[in-house]
């Protein structure tokens, strides 16, 4: 295999990827009674993809990614309520608002260290949360923005109470975002981002623009987070302060930890695992479901993601 073939090999689709996407697209048909859960998983997966782009590929840590999610949610909801109810136009509005906020805040984030970034990103989300609470005449405050009615998707498909149309809509947006990010991470820009993550000084030494690349990828990640927030507001017909709260950033971080950062599929797999565990555990033990999630994370960190499903190897020394 020559050098060009080796460089192109990771960008080629593998058979298991086709199979997994076929299964994902079949879930709203096979599990129609769980379409609402599938919709939530798709939205969380898109949100996790946006975080994976900056954390897994660029090495930018964030505890306030909900800021862009919330801006997209409120933007799409307000646009549908006061301007026009078309879902696709509203999705574009939420995405653009997330990108604009990402572009505005990126200079404060790309220059700092990991600890600085954690504080700044969390601070941005908290400021937006308080602003949304303060301007309750616009956002609805603690009562939430109500009366959001979406028009039919593509002018033909009405959003139903069973969330079947919503699940296909969210899956379609997720799939397009996955294709876009897959192309980007295997492009020269994506390779340079991974180099930045591993050794910033060497990248600076060869003359590449570090801050420009980080700002660009941060803006793109914010746009995708805004799209995820827009999808949530559109498919639920509601936006509240919950979209900006800290637990939103924490949940997407947990999903990415479960699935693994830096390979795109980690966001999808982590979102599926987190949402399914949340749904099952909260039904089994509503008050203590967070205990079991925490216990799972402890085991995951102690055992390792690769060995988790091979219990017989947990107590062996060395490689198994």
């Amino acid at each position: 295999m020559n050098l060009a073939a080796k460089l192109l090999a990771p960008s080629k689709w593998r058979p298991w990827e086709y199979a997994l996407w076929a299964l994902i697209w079949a879930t709203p048909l096979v599990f129609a009674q769980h379409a609402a859960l599938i919709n939530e998983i798709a939205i969380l997966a898109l949100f996790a993809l946006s975080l994976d782009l900056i954390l897994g590929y660029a090495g930018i840590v964030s505890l306030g990614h909900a800021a862009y999610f919330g801006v997209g949610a409120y933007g799409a909801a307000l646009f549908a309520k006061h301007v026009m109810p078309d879902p696709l136009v509203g999705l574009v509005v939420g995405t653009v608002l997330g990108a604009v906020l990402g572009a505005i805040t990126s200079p404060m984030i790309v220059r700092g260290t990991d600890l600085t970034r954690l504080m700044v990103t969390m601070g941005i989300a908290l400021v937006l949360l308080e602003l949304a609470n303060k301007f309750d005449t616009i956002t609805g405050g603690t009562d939430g923005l109500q009366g959001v009615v979406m028009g039919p998707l593509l002018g033909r498909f009405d959003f139903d109470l069973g969330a079947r149309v919503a699940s296909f809509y969210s899956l379609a947006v997720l799939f397009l975002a996955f294709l876009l990010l897959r192309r980007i991470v295997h492009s020269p820009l994506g390779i340079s981002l991974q180099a930045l993550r591993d050794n910033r000084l060497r990248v600076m030494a060869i003359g590449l623009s570090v801050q420009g690349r980080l700002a660009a990828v941060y803006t793109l990640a914010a746009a995708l987070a805004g799209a995820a927030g827009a999808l949530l507001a559109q498919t639920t017909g509601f936006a509240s302060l919950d979209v900006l709260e800290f637990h939103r950033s924490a949940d997407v971080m947990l999903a990415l930890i479960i699935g693994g950062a830096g390979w795109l599929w980690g966001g999808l797999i982590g979102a599926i695992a987190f949402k399914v565990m949340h749904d099952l555990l909260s039904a089994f033990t509503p008050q203590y479901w967070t205990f079991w999630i925490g216990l799972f994370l402890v085991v995951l960190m102690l055992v390792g993601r690769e060995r988790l499903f091979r219990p017989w190897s947990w107590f062996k020394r060395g490689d198994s």
Side-chain angles (χ1 to χ4, degrees), residues 112-308:
T113 61
D114 287 347
L115 181 59
T116 305
R117 288 168 179 165
L118 286 174
M119 296 298 102
V120 171
T121 53
M122 187 165 60
I124 291 170
L126 292 175
V127 167
L128 289 177
L129 174 62
E130 289 305 317
L131 287 175
N133 188 34
K134 176 69 174 179
F135 294 98
D136 54 353
T137 55
I138 300 174
T139 64
T142 55
D143 294 328
L145 185 63
Q146 302 178 29
V148 179
V149 180
M150 299 306 303
L153 183 63
L154 300 175
R156 297 181 57 187
F157 306 101
D158 292 315
F159 287 96
D160 55 308
L161 293 177
R164 193 168 182 177
V165 171
S167 62
F168 278 112
Y169 175 40
S170 298
L171 284 175
V173 177
L174 171 64
F175 182 66
L176 292 176
F178 183 85
L179 292 179
L180 172 65
L181 292 187
R182 202 176 189 284
R183 183 67 179 268
I184 289 174
V185 299
H186 294 301
S187 69
L189 173 61
I191 301 301
S192 67
L193 289 175
Q194 295 175 59
L196 277 173
R197 177 197 62 197
D198 296 335
N199 196 315
R200 177 181 291 199
L201 292 178
R202 290 186 179 182
V203 173
M204 294 174 63
I206 62 177
L208 294 180
S209 173
V210 172
Q211 293 183 1
R213 280 171 166 74
L214 291 178
V217 74
Y218 194 85
T219 302
L220 176 58
L224 293 176
L231 285 176
L232 181 67
Q234 290 178 336
T235 55
T236 61
F238 185 72
S240 68
L241 298 179
D242 177 76
V243 297
L244 287 165
E245 290 183 350
F246 176 74
H247 78 83
R248 186 75 60 176
S249 299
D251 286 352
V252 72
M253 180 67 76
L254 290 178
L256 196 57
I257 290 172
I258 293 171
W263 67 297
L264 293 185
W265 278 102
L268 274 70
I269 294 172
I272 295 171
F274 180 79
K275 274 295 182 182
V276 170
M277 283 194 298
H278 179 207
D279 192 62
L280 294 176
L281 292 173
S282 59
F284 174 70
T285 171
Q287 293 180 322
Y288 305 109
W289 68 270
T290 52
F291 167 81
W292 298 106
I293 293 286
L295 182 61
F296 173 79
L297 290 173
V298 170
V299 173
L300 179 65
M301 293 298 102
L302 291 177
V303 175
R305 191 175 295 102
E306 294 77 12
R307 300 173 62 193
L308 181 62

Side-chain angles (χ1 to χ4, degrees), residues 15 36 47 61 232 281 289 312 315:
F47 195 21
V61 294
L232 181 67
L281 292 173
W289 68 270
W312 58 87
F315 305 103

